[in-house]
Amino acid sequence: MKIFHFDELGSTSDYLKEKKDKKEWDLVIADVQTSGRGRRGNLWISPTGAGLFSFALKEDPNLSMEEYSRLPLIVGIALLHGLKSMVELDYKFKWTNDVYLYNKKLSGILVEKVGDFFIVGIGININNLEFLGASKNGISLKSATGNRYEVLDMIKAVVNSFKKYWNRYLRGEWDEILYEINEKNYLLNKAIEIEFLENKISGIGGKILENGRLEVETIDGIKEFMVGEIHIKL
Ligand code: BTN
């Protein structure tokens, strides 16, 4: 695993996407990002003290796109356990791929495909105390515990955790991984509104299914969602 560490970059994911000679597991880290990107075109405010990094995963021709559709969920649970191995707190996994702590967003994941690579970009609020833009409702490890953490150690723990989970997935352990994901399912039994395309549907969050979809109990019965922005109703 080769680490490319910068004081400042536009976006670690953009850097890796554009890197011509990238290799699997290349890891790009920035202390600050000037144009950090979140999902759905959101800006990801990327101040110093946050963990801002992207790594490259080479597409395996033996895996189908359906199998790859679970990648964001696997990154999510690996991120949660990587964090837990460093700082023992009650993290939750918010489908499709955020990590929450005490009902606030701690970390976000952006998975993109470029050529025969998947670029996994992760932002973790670690020592920063600003959570603007996409993570308005944010929390950092420092704001939660009052302690400062070593950002590089945290990033390495997350990437190593992902490697372990990915190997398990390749060995056919999806059922066990899914069980772990459901144990941390933040949306379970919560009143939610799911927004996708031009639609908004209300319901009660259910379990995450074998196909990676979220089950939602709506007034029209149980529905499954593959994508969508989730709002928690208070
Ligand atoms: C989200 O929650 O919307 C996803 C946020 C992903 C942010 C990370 S920070 C490192 C990498 N570089 C980017 O520009 N975005 C991702």
Side-chain angles (χ1 to χ4, degrees), residues 32-51:
V32 173
Q33 290 183 134
T34 50
S35 1
R37 291 184 297 105
R39 292 197 303 279
R40 292 175 284 274
N42 288 327
L43 190 70
W44 181 265
I45 301 289
S46 307
T48 167

PDB file of all heavy atoms in Angstrom, residues 32-51:
ATOM      1  N   VAL A  32      -6.052  19.039   4.300  1.00  0.00           N
ATOM      2  CA  VAL A  32      -7.168  19.956   4.013  1.00  0.00           C
ATOM      3  C   VAL A  32      -7.586  19.721   2.571  1.00  0.00           C
ATOM      4  O   VAL A  32      -6.735  19.443   1.734  1.00  0.00           O
ATOM      5  CB  VAL A  32      -6.685  21.432   4.151  1.00  0.00           C
ATOM      6  CG1 VAL A  32      -7.762  22.404   3.707  1.00  0.00           C
ATOM      7  CG2 VAL A  32      -6.255  21.742   5.574  1.00  0.00           C
ATOM      8  N   GLN A  33      -8.877  19.827   2.278  1.00  0.00           N
ATOM      9  CA  GLN A  33      -9.324  19.788   0.879  1.00  0.00           C
ATOM     10  C   GLN A  33      -9.990  21.127   0.561  1.00  0.00           C
ATOM     11  O   GLN A  33     -10.776  21.635   1.378  1.00  0.00           O
ATOM     12  CB  GLN A  33     -10.354  18.687   0.651  1.00  0.00           C
ATOM     13  CG  GLN A  33      -9.796  17.286   0.738  1.00  0.00           C
ATOM     14  CD  GLN A  33     -10.838  16.222   0.436  1.00  0.00           C
ATOM     15  OE1 GLN A  33     -10.591  15.304  -0.305  1.00  0.00           O
ATOM     16  NE2 GLN A  33     -12.002  16.341   1.008  1.00  0.00           N
ATOM     17  N   THR A  34      -9.730  21.635  -0.645  1.00  0.00           N
ATOM     18  CA  THR A  34     -10.346  22.918  -1.008  1.00  0.00           C
ATOM     19  C   THR A  34     -11.641  22.716  -1.803  1.00  0.00           C
ATOM     20  O   THR A  34     -12.452  23.615  -1.880  1.00  0.00           O
ATOM     21  CB  THR A  34      -9.355  23.780  -1.817  1.00  0.00           C
ATOM     22  OG1 THR A  34      -8.838  22.966  -2.876  1.00  0.00           O
ATOM     23  CG2 THR A  34      -8.219  24.277  -0.939  1.00  0.00           C
ATOM     24  N   SER A  35     -11.806  21.544  -2.428  1.00  0.00           N
ATOM     25  CA  SER A  35     -13.096  21.260  -3.103  1.00  0.00           C
ATOM     26  C   SER A  35     -13.532  19.843  -2.807  1.00  0.00           C
ATOM     27  O   SER A  35     -13.792  19.070  -3.738  1.00  0.00           O
ATOM     28  CB  SER A  35     -13.038  21.494  -4.610  1.00  0.00           C
ATOM     29  OG  SER A  35     -11.797  21.911  -5.049  1.00  0.00           O
ATOM     30  N   GLY A  36     -13.615  19.521  -1.525  1.00  0.00           N
ATOM     31  CA  GLY A  36     -14.063  18.183  -1.119  1.00  0.00           C
ATOM     32  C   GLY A  36     -15.492  17.942  -1.592  1.00  0.00           C
ATOM     33  O   GLY A  36     -16.330  18.837  -1.510  1.00  0.00           O
ATOM     34  N   ARG A  37     -15.733  16.750  -2.096  1.00  0.00           N
ATOM     35  CA  ARG A  37     -17.066  16.438  -2.636  1.00  0.00           C
ATOM     36  C   ARG A  37     -17.765  15.382  -1.801  1.00  0.00           C
ATOM     37  O   ARG A  37     -17.160  14.410  -1.365  1.00  0.00           O
ATOM     38  CB  ARG A  37     -16.943  15.921  -4.073  1.00  0.00           C
ATOM     39  CG  ARG A  37     -16.496  16.977  -5.059  1.00  0.00           C
ATOM     40  CD  ARG A  37     -16.471  16.459  -6.479  1.00  0.00           C
ATOM     41  NE  ARG A  37     -15.515  15.375  -6.664  1.00  0.00           N
ATOM     42  CZ  ARG A  37     -15.838  14.095  -6.796  1.00  0.00           C
ATOM     43  NH1 ARG A  37     -17.098  13.718  -6.762  1.00  0.00           N
ATOM     44  NH2 ARG A  37     -14.911  13.186  -6.981  1.00  0.00           N
ATOM     45  N   GLY A  38     -19.068  15.596  -1.612  1.00  0.00           N
ATOM     46  CA  GLY A  38     -19.897  14.596  -0.958  1.00  0.00           C
ATOM     47  C   GLY A  38     -20.775  13.925  -1.998  1.00  0.00           C
ATOM     48  O   GLY A  38     -20.644  14.198  -3.200  1.00  0.00           O
ATOM     49  N   ARG A  39     -21.678  13.080  -1.564  1.00  0.00           N
ATOM     50  CA  ARG A  39     -22.611  12.441  -2.501  1.00  0.00           C
ATOM     51  C   ARG A  39     -23.626  13.468  -3.003  1.00  0.00           C
ATOM     52  O   ARG A  39     -23.820  14.500  -2.382  1.00  0.00           O
ATOM     53  CB  ARG A  39     -23.326  11.271  -1.818  1.00  0.00           C
ATOM     54  CG  ARG A  39     -22.376  10.132  -1.513  1.00  0.00           C
ATOM     55  CD  ARG A  39     -23.117   8.833  -1.224  1.00  0.00           C
ATOM     56  NE  ARG A  39     -24.070   8.959  -0.137  1.00  0.00           N
ATOM     57  CZ  ARG A  39     -23.751   8.911   1.143  1.00  0.00           C
ATOM     58  NH1 ARG A  39     -22.507   8.766   1.511  1.00  0.00           N
ATOM     59  NH2 ARG A  39     -24.682   9.004   2.073  1.00  0.00           N
ATOM     60  N   ARG A  40     -24.293  13.119  -4.101  1.00  0.00           N
ATOM     61  CA  ARG A  40     -25.334  13.962  -4.708  1.00  0.00           C
ATOM     62  C   ARG A  40     -24.845  15.387  -4.965  1.00  0.00           C
ATOM     63  O   ARG A  40     -25.593  16.356  -4.824  1.00  0.00           O
ATOM     64  CB  ARG A  40     -26.585  14.013  -3.817  1.00  0.00           C
ATOM     65  CG  ARG A  40     -27.312  12.683  -3.757  1.00  0.00           C
ATOM     66  CD  ARG A  40     -28.459  12.721  -2.802  1.00  0.00           C
ATOM     67  NE  ARG A  40     -27.985  12.661  -1.441  1.00  0.00           N
ATOM     68  CZ  ARG A  40     -27.736  11.532  -0.791  1.00  0.00           C
ATOM     69  NH1 ARG A  40     -27.946  10.375  -1.370  1.00  0.00           N
ATOM     70  NH2 ARG A  40     -27.291  11.548   0.435  1.00  0.00           N
ATOM     71  N   GLY A  41     -23.555  15.523  -5.306  1.00  0.00           N
ATOM     72  CA  GLY A  41     -23.020  16.835  -5.672  1.00  0.00           C
ATOM     73  C   GLY A  41     -22.857  17.794  -4.502  1.00  0.00           C
ATOM     74  O   GLY A  41     -22.592  18.981  -4.700  1.00  0.00           O
ATOM     75  N   ASN A  42     -22.997  17.296  -3.281  1.00  0.00           N
ATOM     76  CA  ASN A  42     -22.801  18.167  -2.115  1.00  0.00           C
ATOM     77  C   ASN A  42     -21.333  18.520  -1.940  1.00  0.00           C
ATOM     78  O   ASN A  42     -20.457  17.764  -2.330  1.00  0.00           O
ATOM     79  CB  ASN A  42     -23.263  17.457  -0.832  1.00  0.00           C
ATOM     80  CG  ASN A  42     -24.764  17.334  -0.763  1.00  0.00           C
ATOM     81  OD1 ASN A  42     -25.482  18.202  -1.240  1.00  0.00           O
ATOM     82  ND2 ASN A  42     -25.244  16.245  -0.185  1.00  0.00           N
ATOM     83  N   LEU A  43     -21.130  19.645  -1.309  1.00  0.00           N
ATOM     84  CA  LEU A  43     -19.781  20.046  -0.940  1.00  0.00           C
ATOM     85  C   LEU A  43     -19.441  19.337   0.368  1.00  0.00           C
ATOM     86  O   LEU A  43     -20.316  19.178   1.217  1.00  0.00           O
ATOM     87  CB  LEU A  43     -19.816  21.569  -0.725  1.00  0.00           C
ATOM     88  CG  LEU A  43     -18.515  22.297  -0.551  1.00  0.00           C
ATOM     89  CD1 LEU A  43     -17.755  22.299  -1.876  1.00  0.00           C
ATOM     90  CD2 LEU A  43     -18.803  23.735  -0.110  1.00  0.00           C
ATOM     91  N   TRP A  44     -18.203  18.914   0.514  1.00  0.00           N
ATOM     92  CA  TRP A  44     -17.785  18.308   1.793  1.00  0.00           C
ATOM     93  C   TRP A  44     -16.748  19.230   2.425  1.00  0.00           C
ATOM     94  O   TRP A  44     -15.606  19.289   1.968  1.00  0.00           O
ATOM     95  CB  TRP A  44     -17.225  16.896   1.564  1.00  0.00           C
ATOM     96  CG  TRP A  44     -16.816  16.225   2.842  1.00  0.00           C
ATOM     97  CD1 TRP A  44     -15.565  16.204   3.374  1.00  0.00           C
ATOM     98  CD2 TRP A  44     -17.655  15.483   3.747  1.00  0.00           C
ATOM     99  NE1 TRP A  44     -15.577  15.506   4.566  1.00  0.00           N
ATOM    100  CE2 TRP A  44     -16.844  15.056   4.817  1.00  0.00           C
ATOM    101  CE3 TRP A  44     -19.017  15.158   3.760  1.00  0.00           C
ATOM    102  CZ2 TRP A  44     -17.342  14.310   5.872  1.00  0.00           C
ATOM    103  CZ3 TRP A  44     -19.495  14.410   4.824  1.00  0.00           C
ATOM    104  CH2 TRP A  44     -18.668  13.995   5.861  1.00  0.00           C
ATOM    105  N   ILE A  45     -17.147  19.974   3.415  1.00  0.00           N
ATOM    106  CA  ILE A  45     -16.236  20.916   4.078  1.00  0.00           C
ATOM    107  C   ILE A  45     -15.128  20.100   4.748  1.00  0.00           C
ATOM    108  O   ILE A  45     -15.410  19.151   5.481  1.00  0.00           O
ATOM    109  CB  ILE A  45     -16.994  21.775   5.127  1.00  0.00           C
ATOM    110  CG1 ILE A  45     -18.127  22.553   4.458  1.00  0.00           C
ATOM    111  CG2 ILE A  45     -16.062  22.691   5.888  1.00  0.00           C
ATOM    112  CD1 ILE A  45     -17.707  23.686   3.555  1.00  0.00           C
ATOM    113  N   SER A  46     -13.889  20.464   4.428  1.00  0.00           N
ATOM    114  CA  SER A  46     -12.764  19.589   4.766  1.00  0.00           C
ATOM    115  C   SER A  46     -11.669  20.318   5.523  1.00  0.00           C
ATOM    116  O   SER A  46     -10.592  20.587   4.987  1.00  0.00           O
ATOM    117  CB  SER A  46     -12.194  19.023   3.466  1.00  0.00           C
ATOM    118  OG  SER A  46     -13.193  18.432   2.687  1.00  0.00           O
ATOM    119  N   PRO A  47     -11.940  20.693   6.763  1.00  0.00           N
ATOM    120  CA  PRO A  47     -10.952  21.459   7.517  1.00  0.00           C
ATOM    121  C   PRO A  47      -9.826  20.593   8.072  1.00  0.00           C
ATOM    122  O   PRO A  47      -9.940  19.359   8.107  1.00  0.00           O
ATOM    123  CB  PRO A  47     -11.787  22.014   8.683  1.00  0.00           C
ATOM    124  CG  PRO A  47     -12.835  20.987   8.906  1.00  0.00           C
ATOM    125  CD  PRO A  47     -13.126  20.372   7.563  1.00  0.00           C
ATOM    126  N   THR A  48      -8.787  21.268   8.499  1.00  0.00           N
ATOM    127  CA  THR A  48      -7.682  20.533   9.108  1.00  0.00           C
ATOM    128  C   THR A  48      -8.172  19.828  10.385  1.00  0.00           C
ATOM    129  O   THR A  48      -9.070  20.322  11.061  1.00  0.00           O
ATOM    130  CB  THR A  48      -6.485  21.489   9.347  1.00  0.00           C
ATOM    131  OG1 THR A  48      -5.568  20.843  10.185  1.00  0.00           O
ATOM    132  CG2 THR A  48      -6.881  22.784   9.968  1.00  0.00           C
ATOM    133  N   GLY A  49      -7.620  18.664  10.639  1.00  0.00           N
ATOM    134  CA  GLY A  49      -8.053  17.874  11.802  1.00  0.00           C
ATOM    135  C   GLY A  49      -8.995  16.751  11.409  1.00  0.00           C
ATOM    136  O   GLY A  49      -9.203  15.811  12.172  1.00  0.00           O
ATOM    137  N   ALA A  50      -9.584  16.859  10.199  1.00  0.00           N
ATOM    138  CA  ALA A  50     -10.466  15.778   9.731  1.00  0.00           C
ATOM    139  C   ALA A  50      -9.621  14.703   9.047  1.00  0.00           C
ATOM    140  O   ALA A  50      -8.507  14.975   8.594  1.00  0.00           O
ATOM    141  CB  ALA A  50     -11.502  16.338   8.755  1.00  0.00           C
ATOM    142  N   GLY A  51     -10.155  13.507   8.950  1.00  0.00           N
ATOM    143  CA  GLY A  51      -9.494  12.427   8.195  1.00  0.00           C
ATOM    144  C   GLY A  51     -10.066  12.470   6.785  1.00  0.00           C
ATOM    145  O   GLY A  51     -11.261  12.234   6.601  1.00  0.00           O
TER     146      GLY A  51
END
